[in-house]
Amino acid sequence: MSSFLYFILPALGGYALTSVYLLKNPLILHRRKRTAFYSTHISHRGGCGERIESTMEAFTNAVEQGTHMLEMDCHLTHDGHVVVSHDENLLRQTGHDVTISSLKLQDLPVYKERLEVTFYEGRYSSGADRKFALLEDVFRKFPEMPVSVEIKENNHQLIEKVSDLVKHYNREEITVWASVNSSIMKECCKTNGSMPFSFTMNRGVLLLLLFYSGLLPFVPLEESLLQFYLPRIINRTFIPENRILKNRLVVSLLEKVTMRKSLFKHLAARGIQVHLFVCNEDEDIKAAFEVGATGVMSDYPSVLTSYLCRNRSQD
């Protein structure tokens, strides 16, 4: 036993030291990713705190406020149009209990006049534009704006149409596949492997396991972005439906486990952008950047712009 420890303890010590060193110096083993965009300011659902979410008015406002990326979700209408909408069922957004996939484009209802901001409970947005936007309209109006497109359903026709639009508008380098579901992401990358893509939920869990086991510095990563909750907003400005996440102890543990500055610095050094969401107050924006986020996603593009301008002037 003593001879076993004689060999194993130095080996473990050497492994730990090597892992720590490579965590801080990842380019020794890995080539830095070079994405065509670097987004510090990301507008969640187009900046849904200032205009009705995911409308052309919201996207236009966000771009005018200086955003670096638009974040959105897409679904397919019954007649095959790619519509920008967070929900497939339109009850929350319109008051009509119908699905996008069951309706033709011309039959889609309009948004409510006032819509509660999901990640800022008790706050509402409004605007003159209450029509659902087409993904093609976004691409056409903002040809050079990076866009993160989240796919929530494993619908090959939807994924293929999004890919076709991306190719048609020559924006494969600046349009990101996003999904929490690994099987959906696999289908997205199979359909168009030229687009950068973000971590899924399963890959995010694996990322944490690799980090805590010390293996992360040795493992190649194909993803270009990590997009994750800033846990401190949960139960304060965002009340989740999941009962587990309503437990303060669970959220505190989630924050301690996931918000690791050394992890985010390692990813950033490898060229993987870290976007934390949804930060709607200065204190949350500050917390996200302090923990190592390379970008912040907000419902309020003007608030984020103001914060970045003030803090740049202080540097």
Side-chain angles (χ1 to χ4, degrees):
M1 181 66 178
S2 60
S3 60
F4 173 76
L5 291 176
Y6 180 79
F7 288 106
I8 198 67
L9 289 179
L12 286 174
Y15 166 71
L17 288 173
T18 303
S19 177
V20 170
Y21 179 77
L22 291 175
L23 187 74
K24 296 179 179 180
N25 302 277
L27 299 186
I28 292 175
L29 292 183
H30 306 284
R31 180 179 296 178
R32 181 179 172 86
K33 290 182 181 294
R34 301 289 181 184
T35 50
F37 59 91
Y38 188 85
S39 304
T40 303
H41 184 308
I42 306 99
S43 294
H44 182 243
R45 303 184 198 175
C48 60
E50 297 178 1
R51 301 291 189 276
I52 297 291
E53 66 182 51
S54 303
T55 58
M56 290 304 295
E57 184 180 24
F59 297 134
T60 301
N61 176 67
V63 171
E64 289 174 349
Q65 294 297 331
T67 197
H68 304 149
M69 172 180 274
L70 299 171
E71 187 275 341
M72 63 192 68
D73 312 81
C74 288
H75 297 278
L76 200 65
T77 63
H78 187 68
D79 52 346
H81 293 276
V82 182
V83 171
V84 181
S85 171
H86 181 269
D87 302 352
E88 156 69 350
N89 184 287
L90 300 180
L91 182 61
R92 175 187 68 87
Q93 295 155 292
T94 71
H96 297 272
D97 190 8
V98 293
T99 60
I100 292 175
S101 59
S102 69
L103 299 174
K104 293 182 178 180
L105 178 64
Q106 64 186 33
D107 297 327
L108 289 177
V110 296
Y111 279 99
K112 296 175 181 176
E113 290 185 9
R114 295 177 71 247
L115 195 62
E116 186 171 29
V117 181
T118 303
F119 286 86
Y120 210 156
E121 195 176 48
R123 300 291 184 97
Y124 291 81
S125 62
S126 60
D129 184 5
R130 295 165 55 201
K131 290 178 59 179
F132 284 86
L134 291 173
L135 181 62
E136 184 169 15
D137 290 340
V138 177
F139 286 174
R140 187 185 294 116
K141 185 167 184 178
F142 309 110
E144 298 180 1
M145 175 61 61
V147 170
S148 175
V149 178
E150 181 167 355
I151 307 295
K152 296 182 178 295
E153 54 187 298
N154 204 344
N155 181 328
H156 179 72
Q157 186 183 9
L158 168 63
I159 294 169
E160 197 168 53
K161 281 184 175 287
V162 170
S163 174
D164 289 344
L165 285 169
V166 169
K167 290 177 181 178
H168 179 76
Y169 286 94
N170 192 30
R171 46 179 301 124
E172 287 177 289
E173 291 188 336
I174 60 170
T175 308
V176 177
W177 287 125
S179 181
V180 298
N181 186 295
S182 293
S183 61
I184 294 175
M185 184 60 77
K186 184 177 179 180
E187 183 69 21
C188 290
C189 294
K190 180 182 176 182
T191 303
N192 192 332
S194 298
M195 293 166 57
F197 60 98
S198 63
F199 281 87
T200 62
M201 182 66 73
N202 287 346
R203 287 284 295 172
V205 171
L206 177 60
L207 179 70
L208 287 173
L209 291 175
L210 291 172
F211 171 71
Y212 282 106
S213 67
L215 289 169
L216 180 58
F218 306 97
V219 177
L221 299 171
E222 297 299 322
E223 291 86 352
S224 295
L225 294 94
L226 173 65
Q227 297 177 329
F228 193 73
Y229 286 105
L230 181 71
R232 61 182 283 157
I233 70 166
I234 299 174
N235 299 323
R236 185 169 57 79
T237 62
F238 170 57
I239 312 299
E241 293 181 6
N242 191 321
R243 289 184 63 185
I244 294 176
L245 289 178
K246 292 182 179 181
N247 187 301
R248 299 173 87 183
L249 184 62
V250 170
V251 174
S252 177
L253 179 62
L254 180 67
E255 182 163 21
K256 291 185 186 305
V257 170
T258 60
M259 296 294 104
R260 309 300 300 182
K261 191 169 187 177
S262 56
L263 168 61
F264 295 159
K265 287 183 69 175
H266 174 82
L267 294 176
R270 288 172 68 164
I272 299 172
Q273 298 179 51
V274 179
H275 298 166
L276 295 182
F277 64 90
V278 173
C279 305
N280 293 329
E281 298 180 359
D282 280 6
E283 63 183 60
D284 298 327
I285 298 170
K286 179 181 179 182
F289 283 124
E290 285 182 344
V291 81
T294 62
V296 163
M297 197 181 301
S298 178
D299 293 321
Y300 293 86
S302 64
V303 171
L304 182 51
T305 295
S306 176
Y307 177 90
L308 292 172
C309 288
R310 289 198 312 274
N311 284 273
R312 272 199 297 265
S313 65
Q314 293 171 9
D315 292 339

